[in-house]
Amino acid sequence: MAQTPPYTYPLTIGTSSTSILIANPTRKRVIFHNPNDTAKVAVCPVGPSRSNGAAVTAAINGPGCITILPYDRVDVPGPSTGGAQLAMPSAWIGIASAGGSALTIFEFE
């Protein structure tokens, strides 16, 4: 049976910036959940920075990244204009402050 949204991605990530979510032109919302006791997790969309054109690299408390504390979550809704929700197709990268850290992603289309 095929999964229906939200799509759930349970991942294990480490201390190197890595791909965590592929690009999806129909994505409307994404929730990142850090289920770890002590490890922090940082996530950011892939792409160049608008300020200087440099590639964004995932880093805990890094520029362009969202740092998620243990047991916390971040909801990234697609922007809305006049009530209509827009797509947010970008791929995402992530990193953890400790090797073998869990990350759960919920993706909505």
Side-chain angles (χ1 to χ4, degrees):
M1 189 176 224
Q3 184 180 7
T4 58
Y7 300 107
T8 305
Y9 307 101
L11 306 173
T12 301
I13 61 174
T15 57
S16 297
S17 183
T18 188
S19 175
I20 59 170
L21 192 61
I22 63 170
N24 179 351
T26 61
R27 182 182 305 127
K28 303 284 188 210
R29 176 182 178 197
V30 64
I31 299 172
F32 298 100
H33 173 64
N34 178 358
N36 299 292
D37 287 331
T38 58
K40 295 177 185 175
V41 172
V43 297
C44 51
V46 172
S49 166
R50 286 196 89 168
S51 62
N52 63 13
V56 176
T57 301
I60 303 297
N61 297 326
C65 294
I66 302 166
T67 298
I68 309 168
L69 300 175
Y71 296 126
D72 205 357
R73 71 194 49 81
V74 171
D75 186 348
V76 184
S80 64
T81 307
Q85 204 169 26
L86 305 175
M88 41 184 282
S90 159
W92 288 74
I93 54 177
I95 194 168
S97 63
S101 296
L103 173 65
T104 303
I105 303 170
F106 301 99
E107 179 183 45
F108 300 81
E109 292 181 343

